[in-house]
Amino acid sequence: MRGTPPDSIEAVIERLGEQRYIGDRPLATAIFLALKLGKPLFIEGEAGVGKTEAAKVMADVLRARLIRLQCYEGIDAAHAVYEWNYPRQLLHIRLLNEADDRQAAEKEIFSPEFLLRRPLLDAIDNEDEVPPVLLIDEIDRSDEEFEAFLLELLSDFQISIPELGTIHARQQPFVVITSNRTREVHDALKRRCLYHWIDYPTVDKEIAIVRVRAPEAAEELAREVTALVHGLRQMDLYKVPGVAETLDWARSLAALGASRIDASLIDATLGAALKYQEDLERVRQSVPELVEKAQQSA
């Protein structure tokens, strides 16, 4: 049954492949063990190497609901866990008659009916047929205070709400935490997880990814674009392109009807791979040489 967890590492690899995700055995092992042991999976790596996509694909593999929490600087419990629906509470109070029991009313407005559920509470307090996949994306963008808040959730799969008490997970979600390593995440959080690092793929693996994820790109184009991106990764750039940029570039060139790369097309579409003006200027000076090397190596 495809909604059940994979029962082996080979099954993880197979089912990732069915969802057009080219994962290696170390990643499949980490996923299998995280599922088997009921532990969160902490995935680190450069931007655009497939960390977030791995969580999305696992939701498809498990036929589970994906609950995504996108982290950012200043995120707090009101955005991540819950907040009270204050406008509705005030309206409820105003509609009370003088004869109504005010004490009972105050207790009523701090009931689940007036609670706005955010991703973390939604993941813990779920009644899904299949436990959801909780993606805590780019944890390194959040503050250390928010990291500390997550410790209770990751240790005991519970959330404390002062007005309601402690809510325990009836069934644990499969938790995937990603980080681009823009800052170090505290050891206390990492200790509660299994850890995996996703590096840039080899040329052959990245070609396979392009062929699967961007089938509209001709095989020769996929090879040359991949070789070109690997050449860019050897340069001293502010931000080298990830696999996501390789896919965007291949799709962009295919949309222009290209079956192979040439200097003029590459110069015109550099924005698919590079996102900083300084990098664009540096690379434009070397486009003919880069294209020639990519064609030869492909």
Side-chain angles (χ1 to χ4, degrees):
M1 181 179 176
R2 284 305 183 192
T4 58
D7 57 3
S8 66
I9 296 169
E10 287 71 22
V12 174
I13 296 173
E14 178 187 349
R15 288 165 68 170
L16 289 174
E18 289 174 358
Q19 300 298 326
R20 302 188 306 147
Y21 187 93
I22 309 297
D24 54 20
R25 189 174 184 84
L27 174 61
T29 302
I31 290 173
F32 174 74
L33 290 174
L35 289 168
K36 195 77 171 176
L37 301 177
K39 292 181 72 69
L41 178 59
F42 189 101
I43 305 179
E44 228 171 16
E46 299 292 341
V49 294
K51 304 183 298 297
T52 300
E53 192 64 25
K56 292 180 178 179
V57 167
M58 281 309 300
D60 292 333
V61 164
L62 298 170
R63 291 190 175 177
R65 182 165 57 106
L66 176 68
I67 301 173
R68 179 175 180 175
L69 175 65
Q70 178 63 54
C71 296
Y72 54 88
E73 185 177 353
I75 190 171
D76 57 15
H79 294 90
V81 190
Y82 74 95
E83 65 178 326
W84 293 106
N85 191 336
Y86 296 117
R88 190 176 173 194
Q89 287 174 321
L90 288 172
L91 179 61
H92 185 76
I93 291 171
R94 288 173 183 170
L95 292 176
L96 290 175
N97 297 318
E98 291 296 328
D100 290 333
D101 185 341
R102 291 279 173 171
Q103 189 173 0
E106 287 177 8
K107 186 176 181 180
E108 182 182 344
I109 63 174
F110 287 106
S111 64
E113 182 183 354
F114 292 87
L115 198 65
L116 296 176
R117 298 156 58 93
R118 303 305 185 201
L120 295 185
L121 179 58
D122 193 20
I124 290 296
D125 189 29
N126 75 84
E127 297 180 355
D128 296 15
E129 183 178 348
V130 177
V133 173
L134 171 61
L135 168 60
I136 303 175
D137 210 10
E138 298 183 320
I139 184 66
D140 53 315
R141 293 183 179 273
S142 67
D143 305 315
E144 291 185 5
E145 291 79 4
F146 182 70
E147 257 186 66
F149 176 81
L150 287 176
L151 297 181
E152 179 187 16
L153 182 144
L154 298 179
S155 294
D156 304 314
F157 288 92
Q158 65 182 33
I159 287 174
S160 298
I161 300 176
E163 298 86 353
L164 298 177
T166 301
I167 297 176
H168 301 268
R170 288 183 287 273
Q171 52 180 356
Q172 289 185 193
F174 176 48
V175 182
V176 179
I177 304 171
T178 72
S179 169
N180 294 331
R181 209 172 186 180
T182 57
R183 70 169 177 86
E184 286 295 331
V185 175
H186 200 278
D187 289 344
L189 190 145
K190 285 188 173 182
R191 283 199 306 269
R192 287 159 170 78
C193 309
L194 295 181
Y195 178 84
H196 183 73
W197 172 270
I198 296 183
D199 208 345
Y200 292 117
T202 63
V203 173
D204 288 342
K205 182 180 177 182
E206 194 158 359
I207 290 171
I209 292 170
V210 174
R211 297 296 294 133
V212 169
R213 306 292 293 190
E216 64 270 32
E219 183 173 352
E220 195 69 23
L221 179 63
R223 291 182 174 277
E224 291 180 351
V225 169
T226 302
L228 184 60
V229 170
H230 276 253
L232 293 179
R233 289 180 189 149
Q234 306 305 313
M235 297 181 66
D236 182 22
L237 300 178
Y238 181 75
K239 185 68 183 72
V240 298
V243 179
E245 283 73 35
T246 307
L247 293 170
D248 284 345
W249 212 353
R251 290 173 181 139
S252 298
L253 291 166
L256 294 175
S259 57
R260 298 196 64 182
I261 63 173
D262 62 56
S264 61
L265 271 177
I266 292 305
D267 186 80
T269 56
L270 274 176
L274 303 174
K275 311 301 178 180
Y276 292 89
Q277 177 61 23
E278 296 81 0
D279 289 346
L280 286 169
E281 292 177 356
R282 187 175 293 114
V283 170
R284 277 206 168 97
Q285 300 171 7
S286 308
V287 164
E289 179 185 352
L290 288 166
V291 168
E292 184 180 354
K293 286 183 178 179
Q295 290 174 334
Q296 290 173 353
S297 60

